[in-house]
Amino acid sequence: MQVSKSIVLLLVSAPLVLGIGVALADRDGDEHEGYWSRWFSSPVAPVETRESALYQEECGSCHFPYQPGFLPSASWIGIMNRLDDHFGDNAQMDEASQRSILAYLTANAADAMNREIPNKVMWSLRYTPKPERVTETAFFRHEHDGIAAYIQRHPNPDISFSNCDTCHTRAMQGFYDERDIRVPGVGRWDD
């Protein structure tokens, strides 16, 4: 039986190509932030608009203004429709501002964007499609399981999951790279 040269070449070169790909993917020593993942990485923050500035001003006055790509549209609609009881606080605002912010949130929600983090959020929601909080997504819990366990053992009042920029030094710009994590009282964090 004669084997074609192209099949032999494929069988011989496949392990070599795969080995180079694995080496490149992990060349910076972080299996989750390898070379190839940068191809798909982009900040989660959408382009600045009047609506995004209003959102940052209104919502960011009490907590970190989460990028809309951390929740699907249905979740943002639910949150914005219950501002009179916003997790125990009254966050009501004038109707025009509320409409504007809701339009911004839903236009940039996880199910409206094709970027790395929103795609991961949507994948994590395949069993729980409408969380009420960013911290309820399987994506968030997975990404924060190490620090959550650490906080349980070593409580720190300076660390709050409702303020991403406490640990993620470039969170306001929409970047959540592990190399930019600095945990208060701990320093650089690496899972």
Side-chain angles (χ1 to χ4, degrees), residues 11 14 16 20 26 34 36 45 54 68-69 72 76 83 90 98 103 107 111 121 137 141-142 162-163 167 171-173:
L11 292 173
L16 177 64
I20 291 170
D26 196 30
W36 295 111
L54 178 63
W76 289 120
L83 290 178
N90 185 342
Q98 186 171 343
D111 52 343
V121 167
T137 66
R141 289 192 311 270
H142 169 74
S162 64
N163 288 310
C167 300
M172 287 299 291
Q173 294 80 30

Side-chain angles (χ1 to χ4, degrees), residues 31-139:
E31 66 184 288
H32 301 292
E33 297 294 331
Y35 178 80
W36 295 111
S37 71
R38 290 189 196 101
W39 228 26
F40 303 102
S41 295
S42 62
V44 126
V47 176
E48 291 296 315
T49 62
R50 184 185 71 74
E51 290 81 9
S52 69
L54 178 63
Y55 168 67
Q56 288 181 23
E57 178 185 323
E58 288 286 337
C59 302
S61 66
C62 294
H63 59 77
F64 178 81
Y66 296 105
Q67 284 85 14
F70 280 114
L71 287 174
S73 301
S75 294
W76 289 120
I77 291 168
I79 289 168
M80 292 301 292
N81 285 337
R82 291 186 312 275
L83 290 178
D84 60 325
D85 184 16
H86 186 64
F87 307 107
D89 290 325
N90 185 342
Q92 288 182 305
M93 61 186 76
D94 66 87
E95 194 173 317
S97 294
Q98 186 171 343
R99 268 195 317 272
S100 182
I101 290 172
L102 179 58
Y104 162 73
L105 292 171
T106 56
N108 294 284
D111 52 343
M113 298 175 67
N114 186 19
R115 291 190 177 158
E116 181 184 15
I117 290 176
N119 289 343
K120 288 178 178 180
V121 167
M122 290 309 297
W123 174 253
S124 81
L125 296 177
R126 62 195 182 278
Y127 304 117
T128 55
K130 188 184 166 192
E132 292 185 7
R133 300 171 183 259
V134 170
T135 56
E136 290 177 354
T137 66
F139 170 75

Side-chain angles (χ1 to χ4, degrees), residues 137-152:
T137 66
F139 170 75
F140 183 93
R141 289 192 311 270
H142 169 74
E143 291 296 315
H144 294 85
D145 62 348
I147 190 66
Y150 176 83
I151 291 170
Q152 276 187 324

